[in-house]
Amino acid sequence: MTIAQETAKVPSRSAARRRNRLDIREGRTAFFFLLPSLIGVILFLVLPIIASVVLSFTNWKLLGQPAFVGFANYVRLFTVDPQFWPVLRNTLFFTAEYLVLNLVISLGLAVWISSLKVGQKWFRVIFFLPTFTPGIAVAIVWMLIFAPGGFFDFLMGALSIHMPSVLTDQNLAMQAVVVVSLWAGVGYNTVLFNAALDMVPANYLEAARIDGATAWDRFWKIRLPLISPTLFFGTVMTAITSLQVFDQIYVLTRGGPGSATATLGYAIYQKGFQNFQMGYASAIAWVMFALIMALTAFQFWMQRKWVHYDN
Amino acid sequence: MTTRSKSAGGALALQILNHVALGLVALLFLFPFFWMVSNALRSNAEVLAIPVRILPSVFQWDNFAVTWTQLPFGRFFLNSLVVSGSVTVITVFVSCLSGYAFARLKFPGRDALLMAYLGTLMVPAIMLIIPLFLIVNSLGMVNTFQGVILPVAFGTFGSFLLRQFFLSIPMELEEAARIDGASRLRILVSIIVPLSMPAIGLLSLFTFIGQWNNFLWPLIVMTGADNATLPVGLTQFQTQQGTAWNYIMAGATLSMLPGIVLAIILQKLIYNSIALNAGMGGR
Amino acid sequence: MANISIRSAVKAYGPLEVLHGVSVDARDGEFMVLVGPSGCGKSTLLRMIAGLESITDGEIEIGGRVVNELEPKERDIAMVFQSYALYPHMTVRDNMAFALKLARRSREDIEREVNRAADILDLSQLLDRFPRQLSGGQRQRVAMGRAIVRNPAVFLFDEPLSNLDAKLRVQMRGEIKALHQRLGATMIYVTHDQMEAMTMADRIVVMRAGRIEQVGTPLDIYDHPANSFVAGFIGSPSMNLIDGVVRSTDQGLVLDTPHGTTWPLPANATVLAGAKIQLGIRPEHVLLDTAGVEAEAILVEPTGAETHVQMRVGGQTLTGVFRDRPAIAAGARFRVRPDTARAHVFDCDSGNRIPARS
């Protein structure tokens, strides 16, 4: 008989259960495959993160020896620096206004586009175009539009509205930054929400129709709740990017007039690369990170109230 | 019967009206593009002339030639191409290797490492600007192409994206290749990569555009005027020759051209990838 | 050409052991079928032979070489997958040539081998097509062609026919058998279909829950199942298994079931009165007999050649297969008895066969 039924006479079972040579070879292959990525990630991601923490506790100014100053940078930020609170306020103000307007406009456009019978994809492309162009170029074009004697002034004049020069006005400058950011940024969310609306199964809407729901009800009670997870995703991502706003401000206002449009992103650049206060700028960066994390956590906490997951 | 056909005709009219209305909004939305090109093609005196001219009196097409050759926007364009192209190539290469390791190879600590990679996606780019500059500085790579390329070429997003896609390729294909005698590298090159072109194309597209549009990092690293990328070059002229608006607009047009062309040609790929995000947001 | 020797092979994923130390040999040139219900470990065992799964413990030997630590390509094997696993971006020709290209064989060599395999499998017209342009049966043949070109000592098949429709399955069954006769290579074939196992195998290995239940030729296993699991698994419709207690009577031993029916036992059964046993009767060994146990037909399925009758006997449902088209309709009452000479007796607790006195 060629079969020997399994028995307990197997010798050295535990000894034989070492890791197989093939497994070890596979692990080695994995190591070599990961190596380029690991080197890059350690050098340009992990090391900078650690360095950023350490730097924020020093007073390094690029030249000379850095000295450990404990929490002095953070203390100075919150208690001494006269610019910090305005900067923080500007950042939050921009984020709030931009976030709300972006979501309202992009959702509106997405719904409007989805109501079309033909040509949806062309409208999507049109609103998406600025997303794929350099933010700097966009800002420069808008700067020409807002320039004194430029197209915006001409338009206001034609409408007999008297307005100060937008980019040099304490209040209007931030509004200009918001407008430019919206033009550059609504496209992505428009396509995102439009895609989500496309994916709402038609039978839900048909069922609601048979149940006698009006178009208004179908939108607010069926479509909107069904795409709420995507709305949430768009909200979180938009909030994260808007807290870091920099390009538009660099071109349009350089944080001015005064510090009317200076945001955290601009402050990091200014302190770090114009005043070379690397330690201080790093502390601002960590405040920004804390803000991003806090806002994201807040949104995740809020989502229980308005986001519906279907499983 | 008459009311029904009447309401059908009414619905059609409403549809047409709907299209026309959104068409007007879209035209309004496109105005800045029009304004940019219109100003790129006129004499500088006409740019801020009063009254405002919607179209140039004379179309100065050679503004683009001047911008390209004399203001070195040709050089900036090339710089942008080198930087964006190199970052894209490195990112795809590195992400294919690491994505494959995460998707298909067993090694101790794999899941923990993957979670760490995902974690780094939470860190906003602007936070790392300062330490990254210090690292580049200490490596003596300020104002060099490697200095601007390398620090942004190892993002973890590509590893994760390709891992997800590789996981969707049937395991049996890979096992068949192993039995056929293929090494892991051969499997990656001959089986996995050819079957993953949609994902690799997507990663290439978004990496390229991301770098093409990147501003802050090249602004900081490329301190020499000749090494500027297009966005950085644009701002140099904004300050130095603030009056030459027509050339700046021509430069802006040049900088926007690749993105616009790609967005139109690859609209289906872009839509599908964003739709995937929309779908994932729903899971 | 090679024989395969599996010695106490264990497979464990962490603390979870799925193969509990199995030992079996396949002779050189043998067609051996691993069969069992899903989750029995048959595919795992095949993949361990292929080198796609590591061997946790024990040894596997191919052609006299222990292959535990060899890569699949070093084992001189080829494998045909259930999904065929054809490379979708390569033509049929490139699919078949891939292994040879990797082995750096000369172009003429590759050309010749591919053409030879294409000839055997009738694929010559399809060499420049892509897999998506082929039918299921053609894909199946390409998958086999990919194995043949390499001239391996051992062919491994992992449920290769389960994605085909019934008619094609029967045809491909024949083709694989013919291929085996033509090539004379050792073949290990995994299936959950006992009919495939019976028709194709030189020897069958019946597995369950990570253990081997029985190894033998198809007819040997059919006629002498080692236990009630094998008895129920091999053969279609399944063997009837009747639980009961042995009682001694004037006419010999009988079986009393809890349902109140009484069945005669084989005269040569080596059981004692009072023993709890299982009586196994193949459906074709259920005989009509007016002196038998009363049954009521529930379902009558004529297949043409034979008639399958499901019947209630006591509280139990049994199946009978009759060749002479009995006049039984659903609801009809009739009497049956087992062909005691060909009945099987199993121990109730262990399920093991209780051998008859010879």
Side-chain angles (χ1 to χ4, degrees):
Chain A
M1 211 55 209
T2 43
I3 168 177
Q5 274 285 0
E6 71 99 5
T7 51
K9 65 175 160 53
V10 184
S12 69
R13 173 174 278 201
S14 57
R17 285 196 183 185
R18 289 163 313 207
R19 282 195 68 209
N20 191 293
R21 197 170 60 97
L22 292 178
D23 287 343
I24 293 170
R25 199 185 293 173
E26 190 166 319
R28 199 181 315 147
T29 309
F31 174 74
F32 283 116
F33 275 32
L34 280 169
L35 195 59
S37 176
L38 278 177
I39 291 174
V41 167
I42 290 171
L43 199 55
F44 299 122
L45 222 51
V46 177
L47 189 63
I49 291 172
I50 297 168
S52 178
V53 185
V54 175
L55 273 173
S56 75
F57 293 106
T58 71
N59 65 354
W60 203 24
K61 298 193 173 173
L62 201 55
L63 300 170
Q65 284 297 313
F68 181 76
V69 294
F71 284 93
N73 286 328
Y74 294 95
V75 172
R76 183 174 139 206
L77 260 182
F78 288 102
T79 58
V80 183
D81 192 333
Q83 280 181 350
F84 179 71
W85 289 109
V87 162
L88 193 62
R89 206 196 59 227
N90 289 340
T91 309
L92 291 176
F93 179 82
F94 171 84
T95 300
E97 182 175 350
Y98 173 74
L99 187 61
V100 170
L101 289 177
N102 183 320
L103 291 172
V104 169
I105 293 173
S106 57
L107 183 60
L109 284 174
V111 173
W112 199 349
I113 291 174
S114 80
S115 77
L116 299 182
K117 291 265 191 294
V118 291
Q120 285 203 20
K121 63 176 187 173
W122 289 107
F123 283 104
R124 274 197 302 254
V125 171
I126 286 172
F127 292 111
F128 184 77
L129 281 181
T131 310
F132 255 33
T133 55
I136 286 300
V138 166
I140 284 179
V141 171
W142 278 94
M143 190 172 181
L144 177 60
I145 292 174
F146 284 133
F151 185 81
F152 186 77
D153 278 3
F154 158 73
L155 199 65
M156 290 298 113
L159 298 172
S160 306
I161 300 172
H162 183 70
M163 237 184 199
S165 184
V166 178
L167 293 177
T168 50
D169 183 89
Q170 282 284 342
N171 298 315
L172 291 178
M174 183 57 100
Q175 296 308 313
V177 172
V178 171
V179 167
V180 175
S181 306
L182 283 172
W183 188 77
V186 291
Y188 185 86
N189 281 345
T190 301
V191 177
L192 180 74
F193 299 154
N194 184 249
L197 287 168
D198 275 1
M199 284 189 275
V200 172
N203 54 5
Y204 288 154
L205 297 174
E206 285 158 4
R209 200 171 199 148
I210 289 165
D211 289 346
T214 62
W216 181 259
D217 283 339
R218 288 203 297 276
F219 176 74
W220 288 102
K221 302 211 170 118
I222 310 278
R223 300 180 90 189
L224 210 55
L226 280 175
I227 68 163
S228 60
T230 309
L231 287 175
F232 174 68
F233 172 77
T235 309
V236 170
M237 297 314 286
T238 308
I240 289 176
T241 47
S242 59
L243 281 170
Q244 303 178 55
V245 60
F246 173 77
D247 291 9
Q248 301 90 311
I249 288 168
Y250 180 87
V251 169
L252 290 171
T253 61
R254 303 269 157 133
S259 59
T261 56
T263 57
L264 283 173
Y266 192 76
I268 293 172
Y269 169 76
Q270 204 177 24
K271 303 288 186 217
F273 296 98
Q274 289 181 334
N275 305 348
F276 299 109
Q277 299 170 318
M278 296 298 179
Y280 194 54
S282 297
I284 301 178
W286 279 97
V287 171
M288 180 198 264
F289 185 62
L291 209 57
I292 289 173
M293 287 293 121
L295 188 61
T296 306
F298 173 71
Q299 287 177 322
F300 269 89
W301 180 74
M302 283 291 287
Q303 72 162 331
R304 295 177 307 173
K305 295 193 173 26
W306 66 276
V307 180
H308 303 268
Y309 293 96
D310 54 358
N311 47 351
Chain B
M1 288 316 275
T2 45
T3 51
R4 200 167 126 201
S5 67
K6 202 161 149 195
S7 76
L12 181 67
L14 217 60
Q15 264 296 324
I16 293 172
L17 199 68
N18 199 17
H19 279 82
V20 170
L22 186 55
L24 286 177
V25 172
L27 277 182
L28 210 62
F29 187 84
L30 287 175
F31 175 78
F33 287 124
F34 163 78
W35 196 239
M36 169 178 75
V37 177
S38 167
N39 278 281
L41 289 172
R42 60 181 72 180
S43 70
N44 202 34
E46 277 184 5
V47 171
L48 290 174
I50 295 176
V52 166
R53 294 192 65 94
I54 295 300
L55 287 171
S57 59
V58 181
F59 285 84
Q60 297 189 2
W61 293 101
D62 63 335
N63 281 2
F64 279 97
V66 174
T67 312
W68 183 267
T69 52
Q70 287 174 25
L71 300 184
F73 269 95
R75 172 70 200 252
F76 298 156
F77 198 94
L78 204 67
N79 290 344
S80 272
L81 209 58
V82 169
V83 171
S84 311
S86 309
V87 171
T88 305
V89 169
I90 296 173
T91 299
V92 167
F93 174 78
V94 169
S95 305
C96 277
L97 285 173
S98 57
Y100 179 79
F102 280 125
R104 285 293 157 79
L105 296 175
K106 290 193 290 276
F107 58 91
R110 179 173 74 175
D111 294 348
L113 191 60
L114 185 67
M115 287 312 289
Y117 265 53
L118 273 175
T120 62
L121 289 176
M122 307 270 290
V123 180
I126 203 166
M127 281 197 57
L128 304 179
I129 285 283
I130 288 168
L132 271 182
F133 174 77
L134 298 177
I135 289 170
V136 167
N137 191 28
S138 66
L139 292 172
M141 297 198 298
V142 171
N143 199 26
T144 65
F145 277 96
Q146 61 269 35
V148 81
I149 290 166
L150 290 179
V152 290
F154 294 89
T156 49
F157 174 71
S159 305
F160 185 68
L161 177 81
L162 293 187
R163 168 192 181 262
Q164 294 303 98
F165 195 87
F166 291 168
L167 281 178
S168 72
I169 295 175
M171 193 70 174
E172 289 196 338
L173 281 184
E174 174 153 359
E175 292 174 345
R178 280 177 68 197
I179 287 180
D180 275 347
S183 66
R184 295 292 187 169
L185 192 60
R186 166 62 60 189
I187 292 172
L188 178 60
V189 172
S190 296
I191 309 288
I192 303 288
V193 166
L195 293 177
S196 303
M197 279 335 252
I200 290 172
L202 202 67
L203 178 62
S204 308
L205 176 68
F206 278 91
T207 308
F208 186 88
I209 287 295
Q211 288 313 311
W212 185 270
N213 297 345
N214 195 357
F215 172 66
L216 181 53
W217 179 242
L219 170 74
I220 288 164
V221 178
M222 287 306 207
T223 49
D226 274 357
N227 280 346
T229 57
L230 264 173
V232 178
L234 278 173
T235 59
Q236 283 176 4
F237 283 92
Q238 183 199 2
T239 50
Q240 288 167 13
Q241 300 182 328
T243 48
W245 276 111
N246 54 346
Y247 294 150
I248 293 178
M249 287 301 120
T253 309
L254 283 176
S255 76
M256 288 187 181
L257 218 50
I260 289 175
V261 170
L262 287 174
I264 293 173
I265 296 176
L266 301 176
Q267 53 171 293
K268 200 166 175 62
L269 182 73
I270 294 167
Y271 176 72
N272 287 344
S273 78
I274 296 176
L276 202 68
N277 270 339
M280 277 180 183
R283 290 316 111 201
Chain C
M1 302 301 116
N3 53 347
I4 298 172
S5 180
I6 298 161
R7 292 193 285 269
S8 311
V10 174
K11 179 67 193 179
Y13 298 100
L16 179 71
E17 201 173 271
V18 296
L19 220 52
H20 309 290
V22 300
S23 300
V24 63
D25 286 353
R27 286 183 288 265
D28 183 18
E30 186 171 31
F31 197 111
M32 185 145 101
V33 175
L34 307 182
V35 69
S38 66
C40 71
K42 57 190 189 298
S43 278
T44 307
L45 182 58
L46 189 81
R47 292 163 57 80
M48 285 160 76
I49 299 171
L52 297 173
E53 297 279 356
S54 62
I55 299 160
T56 310
D57 202 357
E59 272 184 348
I60 293 181
E61 207 177 87
I62 301 176
R65 276 187 314 163
V66 174
V67 297
N68 282 36
E69 307 212 319
L70 295 183
E71 294 280 358
K73 62 174 170 180
E74 300 162 332
R75 298 187 181 198
D76 202 8
I77 50 143
M79 183 157 167
V80 176
F81 292 85
Q82 178 175 359
S83 65
Y84 320 134
L86 302 180
Y87 311 126
H89 57 299
M90 296 184 193
T91 60
V92 169
R93 186 192 305 280
D94 290 340
N95 262 286
M96 300 211 302
F98 189 61
L100 302 179
K101 278 182 187 155
L102 290 175
R104 301 190 185 286
R105 299 271 289 272
S106 75
R107 192 175 307 172
E108 303 82 62
D109 242 18
I110 295 176
E111 176 95 18
R112 197 180 55 242
E113 288 297 327
V114 169
N115 286 339
R116 181 181 70 96
D119 238 25
I120 296 176
L121 293 163
D122 201 14
L123 287 170
S124 305
Q125 306 301 312
L126 307 175
L127 283 176
D128 293 314
R129 300 238 189 125
F130 284 93
R132 62 176 175 276
Q133 300 166 311
L134 303 179
S135 70
Q138 288 168 335
R139 287 179 203 186
Q140 175 61 58
R141 280 211 287 274
V142 176
M144 288 201 288
R146 198 166 60 180
I148 291 173
V149 289
R150 301 177 46 205
N151 258 324
V154 177
F155 284 80
L156 305 174
F157 295 87
D158 190 2
E159 309 222 12
L161 303 184
S162 49
N163 284 0
L164 299 177
D165 62 53
K167 196 172 170 198
L168 209 50
R169 201 146 55 203
V170 173
Q171 184 196 332
M172 291 308 295
R173 215 156 74 186
E175 288 194 24
I176 293 176
K177 229 5 214 174
L179 192 69
H180 176 242
Q181 269 145 27
R182 175 169 185 158
L183 300 176
T186 314
M187 294 190 177
I188 311 283
Y189 187 106
V190 162
T191 181
H192 62 270
D193 181 348
Q194 57 89 25
M195 182 67 102
E196 272 179 32
M198 289 294 290
T199 51
M200 299 176 81
D202 291 335
R203 276 195 309 155
I204 295 178
V205 178
V206 184
M207 296 182 67
R208 177 176 58 158
R211 293 176 209 279
I212 292 179
E213 296 289 334
Q214 191 173 6
V215 180
T217 64
L219 291 181
D220 181 30
I221 287 187
Y222 191 81
D223 291 341
H224 305 284
N227 53 44
S228 55
F229 168 76
V230 175
F233 189 78
I234 300 287
S236 175
S238 290
M239 184 187 283
N240 299 301
L241 292 168
I242 304 165
D243 284 4
V245 180
V246 178
R247 178 163 55 89
S248 187
T249 68
D250 299 344
Q251 284 83 29
L253 296 172
V254 295
L255 185 74
D256 287 330
T257 72
H259 310 295
T261 49
T262 299
W263 297 84
L265 287 175
N268 57 354
T270 56
V271 289
L272 299 173
K276 292 168 82 175
I277 61 151
Q278 250 178 345
L279 175 64
I281 313 165
R282 294 233 174 254
E284 65 269 31
H285 301 149
V286 174
L287 305 177
L288 294 173
D289 187 334
T290 47
V293 184
E294 191 182 60
E296 179 189 350
I298 308 171
L299 184 65
V300 180
E301 300 172 307
T303 66
E306 46 197 31
T307 305
H308 299 191
V309 178
Q310 273 187 39
M311 59 192 91
R312 290 291 297 157
V313 181
Q316 220 177 349
T317 305
L318 304 181
T319 310
V321 170
F322 306 101
R323 292 202 59 94
D324 41 7
R325 301 199 182 175
I328 297 172
R333 286 174 184 279
F334 53 98
R335 288 179 175 273
V336 294
R337 69 167 173 88
D339 179 353
T340 43
R342 292 149 107 177
H344 308 263
V345 177
F346 304 100
D347 181 72
C348 224
D349 298 325
S350 67
N352 286 340
R353 177 184 194 81
I354 300 173
R357 201 170 35 236
S358 49

